[in-house]
Amino acid sequence: MLTMNPLWRDPAIRNAVQARSSHREPVLRNRVSIARLATTQPLQVVQRLVAQRAVLRPQSHAPSTLAKYASADTYFYEFCQHLGISFLRFGAPPSQGGYSVEEEDNILELLPIFVCEAPRVHGKPSNSGDYAGGILSGTRYNVYSRHKRDVGTPVAENRGLRDLMRSLRKAYPSVARPPRLPILQDTMRAVLATLDPNNGRHRVYAALWTTCWQAVCRCGDLLRRKHRGGAPWDPAWDMGRDRFTLAEADVPGFPDVNIRATYRLPPGKTDPTGARHLHKTLLVDQSPSAISGAYHTSRMLLLDPLLPGEDPAMTPLFRDPTTGLEITYEHAKEALTRHLTLAGRPDLARGLHTLRGGGGTALNDEAGAFVAAAAGHWKSNAKFDYFYSLRNSTEMGALRMSRGDAGPLADPSGPALSHKRQRR
């Protein structure tokens, strides 16, 4: 009986776990969830999970681990570490030392609890039950891909897991976030006006922010070391100065543009092996009204040259000139928040994601949704092929939207400003 289970002696668990009937499994009602407790030592397993969860901190893995495990496997890998079970034994046939079906069921029933209550996003209190269900499905699929065998009882036939997922969706419902206000041209120019061109760190901020905005690029793609938890510098995975190149360019109709800049990005989530050679190409626009990431980056490097003996591959592209160390994501985010407030837009001080959203909004108005999407990360070989064939259109679209307020952005009836008024 449930009352005989040693877990029932814990008041928090006793108050949270309720039995629907004498023949049904416990169901989650609050933030504590225990499904079927058929493991050999359920009390130790759950106590260890609760204790580890209380001191959980965001984990960083080596590039080889990030490349090997997708999101579901990464969660399951961390879950196994905190629970103290063998990642390699899970999914292996019992004849080869793998867990039994009953043990796999209990592991799978605890995994969605861990996913809901241990988000890896900074400042996020929990994941939703639907997200945990996706991680659970992904884990079963990934294990099947590795071992060619289904893990545990199917969810539809596992009453404890089925009831647990239903309860998780009630306790952790999906929350639709309000739409985020984008940073458009007028705000971007106001922010740049608050920067001191004679301040070395401000030049780094200008280069980083305008590159993110114009290239519709994630800041994490340009500041890579944060993903590796302070691991030693690795030229294959970090954004060094050798990944930024300049070349002559001839752009008809744009006399101020004669240089093309290429940002060769390190491997990322959509290209973990680096096989497709992710890169961003921007034109160095020297006209006074342009918001040109390539111009600010080249100016930053010109005024902060490499010292004798410095290796470009081992030198951060965006570094603090006073320390020589890479500008961190947190510092760049805090600085953007501060300068958005100085520019009179504290309502946009939500983080570096607003840069990418604003650039995407502006580029969509100038070049269309497909080119704007192509400027972001591609998720398939087919989309990459389309992007490559439209690389000239993408460059010109980014150039037009980063210049003066011409075209749709200057017209009060244009889509960007109309969109902006509605969101205010």
Side-chain angles (χ1 to χ4, degrees):
M1 294 178 60
L2 182 64
T3 54
M4 299 299 294
N5 193 302
L7 289 171
W8 197 247
R9 300 168 187 168
D10 188 328
I13 295 178
R14 185 173 64 250
N15 294 334
V17 179
Q18 299 179 5
R20 288 189 175 183
S21 64
S22 59
H23 65 278
R24 290 199 175 186
E25 304 294 341
V27 179
L28 170 71
R29 294 302 181 190
N30 293 315
R31 293 186 61 84
V32 179
S33 52
I34 304 298
R36 297 183 310 165
L37 301 170
T39 50
T40 305
Q41 295 177 316
L43 179 60
Q44 295 180 12
V45 171
V46 177
Q47 284 181 338
R48 185 182 304 169
L49 175 62
V50 173
Q52 293 288 356
R53 185 189 304 147
V55 296
L56 184 66
R57 294 293 182 270
Q59 298 266 335
S60 296
H61 301 300
S64 59
T65 304
L66 290 175
K68 184 176 181 181
Y69 301 114
S71 180
D73 262 1
T74 303
Y75 251 115
F76 187 66
Y77 181 75
E78 294 178 352
F79 168 73
C80 290
Q81 285 184 316
H82 287 284
L83 200 59
I85 62 177
S86 173
F87 176 83
L88 298 176
R89 286 182 59 193
F90 187 85
S95 61
Q96 300 178 12
Y99 295 109
S100 67
V101 175
E102 292 76 16
E103 290 173 323
E104 289 176 347
D105 273 347
N106 281 275
I107 293 172
L108 289 175
E109 290 171 8
L110 291 175
L111 174 61
I113 305 172
F114 176 84
V115 173
C116 280
E117 299 194 0
R120 294 196 302 269
V121 178
H122 178 68
K124 188 176 182 181
S126 64
N127 291 321
S128 70
D130 292 330
Y131 182 80
I135 293 295
L136 180 64
S137 300
T139 299
R140 298 190 76 221
Y141 174 80
N142 291 339
V143 172
Y144 179 84
S145 301
R146 289 195 302 271
H147 298 285
K148 303 304 178 186
R149 61 177 291 265
D150 290 322
V151 180
T153 307
V155 178
E157 301 175 14
N158 184 333
R159 181 181 298 172
L161 183 56
R162 184 184 59 197
D163 290 345
L164 171 67
M165 295 307 304
R166 184 183 298 115
S167 299
L168 284 177
R169 293 187 182 97
K170 294 179 181 179
Y172 301 93
S174 298
V175 179
R177 295 189 302 179
R180 302 187 184 280
L181 296 171
I183 292 180
L184 297 180
Q185 287 183 355
D186 56 346
T187 303
M188 196 68 207
R189 290 193 173 84
V191 170
L192 293 176
T194 65
L195 299 175
D196 181 3
N198 298 318
N199 184 308
R201 181 175 290 185
H202 283 197
R203 289 194 294 268
V204 176
Y205 291 149
L208 178 63
W209 296 343
T210 54
T211 299
C212 292
W213 187 87
Q214 187 186 13
V216 194
C217 185
R218 299 177 189 271
C219 186
D221 295 328
L222 301 175
L223 299 177
R224 288 288 301 176
R225 291 199 72 196
K226 91 176 195 72
H227 296 293
R228 301 195 301 105
W233 184 272
D234 185 346
W237 284 86
D238 292 316
M239 196 68 180
R241 293 200 170 185
D242 64 322
R243 291 182 172 273
F244 178 80
T245 56
L246 296 171
E248 293 185 0
D250 181 15
V251 185
F254 293 89
D256 295 323
V257 177
N258 52 26
I259 299 176
R260 175 179 282 108
T262 301
Y263 300 80
R264 184 169 53 89
L265 301 178
K269 291 182 178 179
T270 55
D271 185 31
T273 64
R276 296 207 298 274
H277 307 291
L278 296 171
H279 65 273
K280 298 285 185 178
T281 303
L282 299 177
L283 299 169
V284 180
D285 190 347
Q286 302 182 37
S287 58
S289 62
I291 306 173
S292 176
Y295 168 76
H296 284 289
T297 302
S298 58
R299 185 171 179 273
M300 172 193 73
L301 299 180
L302 177 65
L303 297 177
D304 180 25
L306 291 175
L307 299 176
E310 282 189 315
D311 183 358
M314 303 297 291
T315 305
L317 176 59
F318 299 96
R319 68 174 180 179
D320 187 335
T322 61
T323 63
L325 301 177
E326 183 183 48
I327 291 287
T328 66
Y329 184 94
E330 288 72 20
H331 287 164
K333 178 180 178 179
E334 292 172 359
L336 179 61
T337 300
R338 184 168 59 254
H339 285 275
L340 276 169
T341 302
L342 292 175
R345 294 305 305 272
D347 57 315
L348 297 181
R350 299 187 182 184
L352 297 170
H353 51 266
T354 51
L355 293 170
R356 193 166 187 254
T361 300
L363 184 58
N364 179 65
D365 288 335
E366 289 286 356
F370 183 82
V371 173
H377 280 305
W378 42 87
K379 297 183 178 179
S380 67
N381 287 326
K383 194 170 184 180
F384 170 69
D385 293 337
Y386 288 137
F387 168 78
Y388 186 79
S389 65
L390 288 178
R391 60 191 183 280
N392 293 330
S393 300
T394 305
E395 287 182 9
M396 298 308 296
L399 177 63
R400 288 196 302 269
M401 70 93 168
S402 65
R403 284 203 149 198
D405 291 328
L409 292 176
D411 184 356
S413 63
L417 292 183
S418 175
H419 184 61
K420 180 181 175 181
R421 285 198 307 272
Q422 293 175 2
R423 297 175 79 167
R424 281 181 175 176

